[in-house]
Amino acid sequence: MATAIFGAGCFWGVEAFFEKFEGVTGTKVGYIGGHLENPTYEQVKAGESGHAESVKVNYDPTVITYAELVNIFFEAHDPTSRNKQGIDVGHQYRSVIFYSDASQKYIAEEKIKEWEGKGIFKRPIVTEVEEATTFYEAEEHHQKYLQKHGSAACSIG
């Protein structure tokens, strides 16, 4: 098993999106990339912690590759929107790939170039690539939030 961490705006919708794919064995929503230890949802949402709302994706690399997960990440959100996804605005909603080793970093950077070269987006990709630090799991009521509440996606304005 392996792990990948992505920030792409509302973590509830990103989690639900990744869960649809074969080879994804589990997900957790949480916070990473900031300066507070054990941040709360309220601190992150208010932009006080520096963390990004993110999803930790556990996967079986014999079924789905890290590169395929990065492609899914680019399909799950607008990587050209700096610090904003839908109605969510702030650094906590930034487009970011958190890598755990040199291979993940290389793949992430190459995928950004590849997606830029496709000409799909009208603006440049602004996705950040950052080394993974401590991932703090969000409070239990945020885990599988859309499933618990019978929703299919986050509210997009």
Side-chain angles (χ1 to χ4, degrees), residues 23-60:
V24 172
T25 60
T27 58
K28 287 288 183 180
V29 296
Y31 322 114
I32 186 172
H35 58 271
L36 287 182
E37 287 187 30
N38 299 308
T40 66
Y41 177 74
E42 288 73 26
Q43 290 170 318
V44 174
K45 184 177 178 181
E48 298 172 0
S49 71
H51 290 87
E53 282 195 16
S54 300
V55 178
K56 181 186 280 190
V57 179
N58 296 320
Y59 66 99
D60 181 345

Side-chain angles (χ1 to χ4, degrees), residues 97-155:
I97 301 170
F98 293 97
Y99 64 89
S100 61
D101 59 32
S103 173
Q104 284 188 348
K105 180 180 181 186
Y106 176 79
I107 291 168
E109 290 171 343
E110 290 300 306
K111 283 292 179 183
I112 289 171
K113 291 176 193 171
E114 178 184 319
W115 278 80
E116 279 284 8
K118 290 181 180 187
I120 295 171
F121 303 112
K122 294 179 182 173
R123 297 175 299 191
I125 291 174
V126 296
T127 300
E128 299 171 14
V129 178
E130 297 180 19
E131 185 172 7
T133 55
T134 303
F135 180 87
Y136 298 99
E137 286 187 17
E139 299 82 348
E140 181 54 38
H141 63 277
H142 291 291
Q143 306 299 329
K144 314 283 188 253
Y145 184 89
L146 296 181
Q147 290 176 357
K148 291 175 184 174
H149 293 85
S151 299
C154 291
S155 173

Side-chain angles (χ1 to χ4, degrees), residues 1-2 22-25 58-65:
M1 293 303 157
E22 186 177 350
V24 172
T25 60
N58 296 320
Y59 66 99
D60 181 345
T62 66
V63 178
I64 190 167
T65 66

